Amino acid sequence: MGAYHHGERIAQERAGLLDNADFSSAAIGSAIPGIARDFLAEQPVIVIGGTDANGDVWASQLTGEPGFISAPGPTSLDIAAVPPPGDPLHEPLTRPTHLGMLAMESTTRRRMRMNGTAHPTPGGLHVTLDQVYANCPKYIQKREPTKRPTSPAAPRHSHELSAGQVAFLTTADTFFIATADQDGNADASHRGGNPGFLQTLGPTRLRWPDYAGNAMFNTLGNLQVNPHAGLLVPDWTTGTLLQLTGTATVDWNPDHADAVPGAQRIVEFTIHHVVQTDHASPLSWSTPQYSRFNPPAHQPVEGGTA
């Protein structure tokens, strides 16, 4: 597919950056550079995004010993892991499906995005890539991982946030967002900021600022043509994962953005389904060193919970 689809062009135009599109598109390829293959082989986790049979978009993560991600060729990726039963992306990945992927090394603030079609293999996935590109280190909090034994709990489902989940989200400094275009081509991306940048407006509503980024507008461009989105919010200490799916809208009103430090735009998210899996990840991460690019967080809005 082309470097940018219709929705991405719309978002670039609304942001006044359409003239930069040809320049930024030059960074998008379909092959993994040699140095990036080494980077991938060192990672213990990869974030993934995809769409389920109902059209809902979810973000999740896969973990393994370094080396569980490998590039057998310049346009293909092997991942020796699959989402466990109960993960919203487990069933979709039992058949070929388009997958967005993000490998992020918090210790060095490096990240790499890849999109392609995943095919199930025994105990893993083989992905034929159609987009590969690096992203800048902005808004990534520096953390060091430690492996520890874990026993994941059964996923808990709801259609709104509990009081505990609201409290957890108000302290978050990082989350991952999955979106897809009108054809189901998925993308996974990162959002970071100081604690409080992710606001809870109630048990089914979230809001966050969209900070200056790489001017590609992959996430916001997808939302122009497909409002479905999924969030993954990790508890870096306990390994608990909070997965949310719903719909997102972009508020392009500059007056609203001006009220939030660092915001270029505002994104509002309506939650349709919540999945919490305690101790899902075998990785525990150190206390963060916050990115120097993080704007001051907007004062969180208190929201009611059930």
Side-chain angles (χ1 to χ4, degrees):
M1 61 183 164
Y4 294 126
H5 60 68
H6 177 63
E8 291 166 328
R9 294 275 182 178
I10 292 174
Q12 291 161 357
E13 183 175 18
R14 295 196 72 168
L17 295 171
L18 186 60
D19 291 342
N20 297 338
D22 290 338
F23 174 78
S24 62
S25 68
I28 302 175
S30 59
I32 301 174
I35 191 172
R37 295 189 200 184
D38 296 337
F39 168 76
L40 291 170
E42 297 168 353
Q43 303 313 309
V45 61
I46 188 168
V47 174
I48 60 174
T51 304
D52 67 15
N54 298 320
D56 291 325
V57 176
W58 294 91
S60 187
Q61 71 174 30
L62 303 174
T63 61
E65 294 293 333
F68 89 107
I69 307 169
S70 61
T75 60
S76 61
L77 198 68
D78 284 335
I79 305 174
V82 293
D87 187 288
L89 289 179
H90 173 80
E91 195 280 332
L93 286 170
T94 61
R95 58 185 183 275
T97 189
H98 198 275
L99 201 63
M101 295 161 288
L102 173 69
M104 189 176 84
E105 188 173 68
S106 295
T107 53
T108 61
R109 296 190 168 107
R110 297 165 66 195
R111 54 179 158 169
M112 179 178 176
R113 284 163 79 170
M114 299 157 289
N115 300 327
T117 302
H119 298 265
T121 62
L125 302 167
H126 178 77
V127 187
T128 302
L129 299 171
D130 50 46
Q131 288 188 330
V132 177
Y133 53 105
N135 278 165
C136 74
K138 281 184 177 181
Y139 319 120
I140 297 176
Q141 326 315 338
K142 186 175 182 178
R143 287 180 163 92
E144 299 278 350
T146 302
K147 185 79 179 286
R148 48 85 189 280
T150 188
S151 180
R156 304 201 311 268
H157 296 254
S158 66
H159 293 287
E160 62 181 28
L161 298 170
S162 68
Q165 290 165 343
V166 167
F168 165 64
L169 290 175
T170 60
T171 66
D173 59 53
T174 301
F175 67 91
F176 302 94
I177 180 168
T179 56
D181 67 15
Q182 66 270 34
D183 298 318
N185 296 306
D187 177 78
S189 189
H190 157 271
R191 295 292 183 270
N194 287 336
F197 89 109
L198 177 61
Q199 295 179 258
T200 54
L201 306 182
T204 61
R205 291 182 62 219
L206 302 177
R207 175 189 294 162
W208 63 86
D210 187 64
Y211 298 142
N214 57 21
M216 291 179 174
F217 294 94
N218 309 112
T219 297
L220 300 194
N222 282 343
L223 295 177
Q224 294 298 308
V225 295
N226 179 358
H228 294 278
L231 306 189
L232 172 69
V233 191
D235 186 320
W236 299 97
T237 303
T238 67
T240 292
L241 298 179
L242 187 62
Q243 293 167 279
L244 313 173
T245 193
T247 54
T249 58
V250 183
D251 181 352
W252 296 89
N253 188 322
D255 292 335
H256 295 167
D258 286 346
V260 181
Q264 307 292 303
R265 293 147 291 273
I266 304 295
V267 182
E268 297 208 0
F269 183 75
T270 301
I271 296 168
H272 298 165
H273 194 158
V274 179
V275 179
Q276 179 172 324
T277 308
D278 293 340
H279 310 295
S281 173
L283 298 173
S284 179
W285 299 78
S286 63
T287 301
Q289 177 183 329
Y290 295 118
S291 170
R292 64 185 177 87
F293 295 102
N294 291 350
H298 187 64
Q299 182 64 36
V301 176
E302 295 293 335
T305 59

